Amino acid sequence: MSDDNRYTYARAGVSIDAGNALVRAIAPLARSTRRPGADAELGGFGGFFDLRAAGYKDPLLVAANDGVGTKLKLAIEHDVHSGVGIDLVAMCANDIIVQGAEPLFFLDYFATGKLDAGVAERVVSGIAEGCRVAGCALIGGETAEMPGMYAPGDYDLAGFCVGAVERDHVLDAGRVKAGDVILGIASSGVHSNGFSLVRRLAADKGWKLNRPALFDQDALLIDALMVPTKIYVKPLLPLVRGGKINALAHITGGGLLENIPRVLPDHLHAVVDADAWEQPRLMAFLQAQGHIEPEEMARTFNCGIGMAAVVSPDVADDVIRALEEAGETAFAIGRIEAGARGCTVRGSAETWSARSAWSASHA
């Protein structure tokens, strides 16, 4: 039989050698995320984690998985891959901390039509950096090369994170009470939600993404849009364990309006004052470019608030001070009131470019 008639996996478009080379290349990245309970070695069929070595006595496990969404399309189109790995970890780890839990270990799934080892290594480098920031170990993952499933150059990402919390430290809606203060912790940018709208605006308005941003001449527009999602684990974990936090809401898809109610009991309502913080210039740019009403901003973007913390009034100032000492920017942005579970965001005339006072609600 001639060589031309011999079928191989490589001729079908899958390179086992390239996959093995990638595993060898990223092994040091995984080792850099070691923490008590995990040795972060890659190459087995699964990853182990020792809860006892991590110091837990009566823990509950908390799991989260997520992706990066259509932000990946901008990364692919503009060859900016490192930050999306941080986004991937952030989207999962932030969902773990809102339960009161510590992220312990992380696994990633990278799928593409044809493996580009250079791109994949940059992505995994970002994942490892995100894990170091979140304090969790990268203990495994999967790289899938699937010819015909993806357009040339395209790839997709998914992340899986597991955390733990001592049984009596779980954050749940039962801790929240009327009169509690809502603190907003600043976001780093758009984070990883709303990019379908961002990309539509970019296409329709003909943005020059590789030129300085109109709102910041020191930054390219693509760089401003691709700033990774902020990871809030390390600043928040001591406050959670110290009993200073009653609830946390990660502000992702659905914005402030839809995410804060997720941590409230049926009889309480969140009221957010949009006048309490300055709208970031990037958000103002997006709003102006799309002629977006304030109500739509409140349910589409994080509007400058990446995490909301519900705290008792007597500790609010202490929590803000602790967050600022940890390098975060935090504001008192609202209160919890009696009423049907939901959220109302209110602003005065000119706040978020409104022509008159406005209010948006979600039940």
Side-chain angles (χ1 to χ4, degrees), residues 138-221:
L138 177 60
I139 66 170
E142 168 71 2
T143 301
E145 192 174 24
M146 298 185 288
M149 286 287 289
Y150 297 90
D154 277 358
Y155 62 88
D156 199 9
L157 287 177
F160 308 85
C161 191
V162 174
V165 56
E166 296 290 1
R167 193 176 301 269
D168 56 353
H169 289 168
V170 174
L171 293 184
D172 58 35
R175 294 174 178 257
V176 182
K177 56 190 181 302
D180 279 354
V181 176
I182 305 169
L183 305 181
I185 310 175
S187 63
S188 53
V190 184
H191 283 187
S192 293
N193 294 99
F195 272 90
S196 292
L197 178 52
V198 169
R199 291 176 56 247
R200 173 61 65 86
L201 284 172
D204 291 352
K205 302 295 181 179
W207 292 350
K208 306 299 183 183
L209 295 178
N210 288 315
R211 293 183 182 175
L214 293 176
F215 53 88
D216 184 355
Q217 290 296 300
D218 294 328
L220 299 181
L221 180 53

Side-chain angles (χ1 to χ4, degrees), residues 22-176:
L22 177 62
V23 171
R24 290 193 296 271
I26 65 179
L29 298 173
R31 283 195 294 271
S32 73
T33 69
R34 289 175 185 265
R35 53 150 296 148
D39 60 13
E41 292 290 348
L42 299 184
F45 289 99
F48 286 97
F49 192 92
D50 186 344
L51 281 170
R52 184 175 296 176
Y56 286 90
K57 298 177 177 63
D58 184 26
L60 295 174
L61 294 179
V62 181
N65 72 303
D66 212 332
V68 181
T70 57
K71 189 175 186 176
L72 284 181
K73 288 297 290 183
L74 286 181
I76 293 163
E77 290 165 0
H78 296 273
D79 194 32
V80 285
H81 303 282
S82 299
V84 293
I86 299 174
D87 282 306
L88 186 68
V89 176
M91 295 302 290
C92 297
N94 287 339
D95 281 353
I96 293 289
I97 186 65
V98 299
Q99 313 295 325
E102 175 190 15
L104 298 177
F105 60 88
F106 189 89
L107 300 97
D108 69 280
Y109 175 78
F110 179 101
T112 187
K114 180 174 177 57
L115 183 61
D116 182 326
V119 168
E121 189 171 349
R122 289 160 66 190
V123 171
V124 177
S125 178
I127 292 171
E129 173 63 17
C131 286
R132 288 190 292 270
V133 173
C136 60
L138 177 60
I139 66 170
E142 168 71 2
T143 301
E145 192 174 24
M146 298 185 288
M149 286 287 289
Y150 297 90
D154 277 358
Y155 62 88
D156 199 9
L157 287 177
F160 308 85
C161 191
V162 174
V165 56
E166 296 290 1
R167 193 176 301 269
D168 56 353
H169 289 168
V170 174
L171 293 184
D172 58 35
R175 294 174 178 257
V176 182

Side-chain angles (χ1 to χ4, degrees), residues 274-327:
D275 296 355
W277 74 98
E278 186 175 352
Q279 185 186 43
R281 289 180 296 171
L282 171 56
M283 295 294 167
F285 168 77
L286 294 173
Q287 184 178 8
Q289 289 283 300
H291 306 288
I292 304 170
E293 294 296 329
E295 297 87 347
E296 184 68 16
M297 290 293 293
R299 63 169 47 90
T300 303
F301 296 110
N302 63 57
C303 298
I305 303 297
M307 183 74 75
V310 179
V311 303
S312 299
D314 58 323
V315 303
D317 289 342
D318 291 340
V319 171
I320 290 174
R321 190 176 307 113
L323 288 168
E324 290 176 343
E325 289 174 354

Side-chain angles (χ1 to χ4, degrees), residues 241-275:
R241 289 176 168 171
K244 299 291 182 69
I245 305 289
N246 294 338
L248 291 168
H250 184 198
I251 308 305
T252 55
L256 293 160
L257 273 180
E258 296 190 13
N259 283 288
I260 295 178
R262 296 168 66 180
V263 301
L264 301 179
D266 289 340
H267 63 284
L268 293 178
H269 193 91
V271 179
V272 174
D273 178 11
D275 296 355

